[in-house]
Amino acid sequence: MMRRSLLKAPLLLPIGLAACGGDSEPVALPPLVSGYRHLTPLRLNVQDIEVADPLPGAVQLSNPAPALRPDVEMRRMADERLVPVGTEGQGRFIISQARFTRERLSGGGGLTSLFAGEPGERLTCQLLCRLEILSPEGRRVAFVEAEARRGRTLPDGATPGARARAAEDVVREAMDQLNVEFEFQVRRTLRAWMQEAVTTPAAPAPETVEREDLSATRPR
């Protein structure tokens, strides 16, 4: 009986390893970006701002697409950051490129690749947008462009949850870069159409009134 128990014990080890090696990790993603309304708005001296549909072929998403779609976030950035404050003319925001790609990396082959799981992959996010200023007659009088690019490499055997989180992180990092670059280009190139917020000046402090000692001049 003792020998039979000893023989059975090693057989339990592969079963335990198989359970640990299985993909039981839940696909839990971090919270999505909170938006851009907390940032200083870009106030343009135009009557209205149009967020146009992406150009044909601008949106390219490899499957599985990231939960955080770059084209949706680019439109969100424009909606929440650009504010028209003028009485004529128009601004037009255009998505020229919103691309997310997955490039599968070639494995090394042999037994190592057999037990490594899914091959690694290279994730890349490329963004390009344009903001145009149009005259009341519809003629383009100025424009600015901003672009961003971020990437990440995942090793062989990365779990679906890790791949989903990495895809979202790449898009988020590219959007952070695009947002900073977009504001820089707008403030530098479109200075003539920028209007800073007018703040109400604080009321001046009341002047100090000197008090005269009347006891020194009062007749006795």
Side-chain angles (χ1 to χ4, degrees), residues 30-42 49-54 67-83 93-95 98 127 129 168 171-172 175-176 178-179 182:
L32 300 182
V33 295
S34 58
Y36 307 89
R37 296 192 186 279
H38 63 285
L39 301 173
T40 302
L42 302 175
I49 297 176
E50 173 195 6
V51 181
D53 292 332
L68 195 65
R69 288 177 56 106
D71 55 318
V72 174
E73 283 304 305
M74 293 173 74
R75 174 180 289 272
R76 184 181 184 183
M77 180 189 74
D79 284 334
E80 297 184 1
R81 295 222 61 189
L82 298 175
V83 178
F93 181 86
I94 301 172
I95 298 175
L127 309 175
C129 65
E168 187 173 348
V171 175
R172 181 180 289 106
M175 281 303 307
D176 289 343
L178 182 72
N179 178 56
F182 180 67

Side-chain angles (χ1 to χ4, degrees), residues 106-120 156-157:
S106 58
L111 293 177
T112 302
S113 61
L114 179 63
F115 293 100
E118 287 293 322
D156 295 346

